[in-house]
Amino acid sequence: SIVAGRDSVCCHGSPNGPVSTTTRSMTVMPAWVIDKYGSNEALRFTKNAGFPVINYPNEVIVRVHSAGLNPLDVRMRDGYGSASLSMKRDPLNIKSSSEFPLILGRDVSGVIMECGLDVKYFREWDEVWAAIPPWKQGSLAEFVVLSANEVSHKPKSMSHREAAAVPYAASTAWSALVNTGGLSKDNCAKKRILILGGSGGVGTFAIQMLKAWGAHVTVTCSQNAELFVRGLGADHVVDYTAGPVEEPLGALEKFDLILDNVGGDTERWALTLLKPWCGAKFVTLVTPFLQNTDRLGIADGMMQNAATVATKALKHLVKGVHYRWGFFVPSGPVLDEIREMVDAGQIRTVVEDTFCFSQVPEAFEKMEKGHARGKTVVQISK
């Protein structure tokens, strides 16, 4: 039947009935895994990684065509967030095994090979993309299992290679701007937005979303990235390599929202650039959330997080501005919205480097160098 929306019902199989049992009978698959946290030496290729299994009726198995890499993958390889993510993977501590072997990779574009019994919005052979939550096994493998509400139909205007460069960074930008910042296509016209660190993955998608919604966008980046961010739609660019950016930014008209991708001492001066008593918000994606839980444990870390964000929010609220932490949130419906913007020509991606499946360590080395002007993608299958 024709798929009309996420609540419509469609058949669970190919036009000739259920998909063959090829995937159902498999027990192992090729993948890149880590058996411990560490440097690139921790990456190991195996042909015997456990094949993903549908445990819940709303899950799907996706054959991975392309996987996108993000800075988070390098940090997770090093052990970032291990305490919180282990708890999320096994909240009741029922499993005796550890999180290893762990498959990294947060972005995926591929084809659905099997659907759980409750899946109504997808069917086998659908081309899909997804941002994989950090607590799940990733996309540097031949197959991955995901909840159907984390998956979206891939943009028709993009190849799998291009599509794999979008979901995680674009979903993070959406979550920060819409969920936390309260912005939308209906209320953005003529609002002044500042993006600190606009040439990275999240920043580049935030620029394009905001411009599609009619906002005025100011960006900080290095001088050699200025043409790049202007090409994405940035109205005004401040070069952070020319000296402290707070001086040129302070000379500008104040902002309705600041998206911080930089962290460090930016909070010391950035909130003074907001319009006071107008509902203006400072949203930072650089938070100590996972570092606190890694360092202090789950209970004490969460208490520290609550105390930190509450103290900062109150400190700035008395000055008439709002302080918020932004987070990635996995969401198929958000990717539906992003897909529409992609197919309408409002969002594009720049793939800087493509590596084959055997070159995953080289792809990680490239990611570690930083200062990319586009995304890094690993081609898993044709």
Side-chain angles (χ1 to χ4, degrees):
S1 64
I2 296 173
V3 176
R6 281 191 175 266
D7 296 325
S8 61
V9 179
C10 66
C11 63
H12 298 292
S14 68
N16 299 316
V19 169
S20 71
T21 57
T22 307
T23 59
R24 294 178 177 85
S25 62
M26 294 175 69
T27 57
V28 295
M29 65 175 177
W32 282 91
V33 302
I34 59 171
D35 301 301
K36 62 180 180 179
Y37 296 117
S39 63
N40 241 14
E41 282 76 43
L43 290 165
R44 173 175 67 88
F45 178 75
T46 177
K47 292 184 178 179
N48 298 309
F51 193 86
V53 176
I54 289 179
N55 289 312
Y56 301 97
N58 69 329
E59 289 182 329
V60 296
I61 292 177
V62 176
R63 184 187 184 107
V64 182
H65 281 240
S66 297
L69 291 185
N70 296 276
L72 178 65
D73 292 301
V74 177
R75 299 184 71 190
M76 284 182 64
R77 183 205 64 192
D78 295 341
Y80 171 73
S82 56
S84 300
L85 299 178
S86 293
M87 184 200 71
K88 184 73 176 175
R89 292 181 188 111
D90 187 15
L92 300 178
N93 200 26
I94 324 180
K95 301 175 186 172
S96 55
S97 60
S98 72
E99 65 266 38
F100 301 114
L102 181 64
I103 302 171
L104 301 172
R106 297 302 107 203
D107 283 316
V108 60
S109 183
V111 176
I112 289 183
M113 300 306 292
E114 189 173 337
C115 292
L117 293 176
D118 285 354
V119 175
K120 298 179 175 63
Y121 186 54
F122 299 101
R123 57 183 176 182
E124 284 88 351
W125 310 119
D126 279 355
E127 293 190 329
V128 295
W129 63 348
I132 304 173
W135 53 88
K136 292 192 174 183
Q137 293 285 37
S139 55
L140 292 175
E142 199 167 61
F143 297 89
V144 64
V145 63
L146 292 165
S147 166
N149 59 22
E150 295 161 352
V151 177
S152 167
H153 290 104
K154 179 182 77 67
K156 290 183 170 59
S157 58
M158 279 185 168
S159 65
H160 284 293
R161 183 180 76 97
E162 293 167 324
V166 176
Y168 193 86
S171 295
T172 303
W174 182 284
S175 176
L177 295 174
V178 179
N179 300 353
T180 309
L183 300 179
S184 71
K185 61 184 177 183
D186 299 319
N187 67 8
C188 244
K190 299 183 180 177
K191 282 194 174 173
R192 291 179 52 78
I193 314 296
L194 169 61
I195 301 175
L196 299 170
S199 61
V202 174
T204 54
F205 288 113
I207 292 169
Q208 296 178 85
M209 289 174 189
L210 291 166
K211 290 309 300 177
W213 297 340
H216 181 283
V217 180
T218 299
V219 167
T220 67
C221 64
S222 62
Q223 184 182 20
N224 61 12
E226 178 172 351
L227 287 177
F228 175 63
V229 296
R230 285 195 184 277
L232 296 173
D235 298 289
H236 187 74
V237 180
V238 175
D239 173 17
Y240 68 74
T241 63
V245 294
E246 53 262 45
E247 293 177 17
L249 289 174
L252 301 175
E253 184 183 336
K254 290 190 182 292
F255 298 95
D256 296 286
L257 183 137
I258 297 174
L259 176 61
D260 175 25
N261 299 294
V262 176
D265 72 341
T266 54
E267 292 181 17
R268 179 178 53 80
W269 50 265
L271 285 99
T272 63
L273 304 175
L274 290 168
K275 297 175 182 176
W277 308 110
C278 294
K281 294 185 178 71
F282 176 88
V283 179
T284 181
L285 291 166
V286 187
T287 77
F289 188 90
L290 291 180
Q291 290 98 320
N292 282 342
T293 53
D294 285 345
R295 182 171 56 90
L296 301 171
I298 300 299
D300 289 345
M302 294 299 283
M303 287 178 63
Q304 180 64 55
N305 286 326
T308 301
V309 74
T311 302
K312 291 185 176 185
L314 185 60
K315 171 188 171 183
H316 296 293
L317 190 59
V318 298
K319 299 176 184 177
V321 295
H322 299 274
Y323 175 92
R324 298 283 188 272
W325 285 359
F327 298 97
F328 160 77
V329 178
S331 172
V334 164
L335 285 173
D336 289 348
E337 300 265 7
I338 293 169
R339 179 190 69 231
E340 290 180 11
M341 296 182 76
V342 167
D343 284 339
Q346 296 173 324
I347 290 180
R348 63 183 176 89
T349 190
V350 178
V351 177
E352 187 174 56
D353 280 304
T354 304
F355 294 84
C356 63
F357 199 19
S358 63
Q359 296 176 308
V360 165
E362 290 90 331
F364 270 77
E365 285 175 14
K366 193 261 176 190
M367 289 293 299
E368 284 187 282
K369 293 176 182 174
H371 299 290
R373 295 291 170 264
K375 298 285 296 203
T376 297
V377 172
V378 177
Q379 198 77 24
I380 308 292
S381 64
K382 298 293 184 183

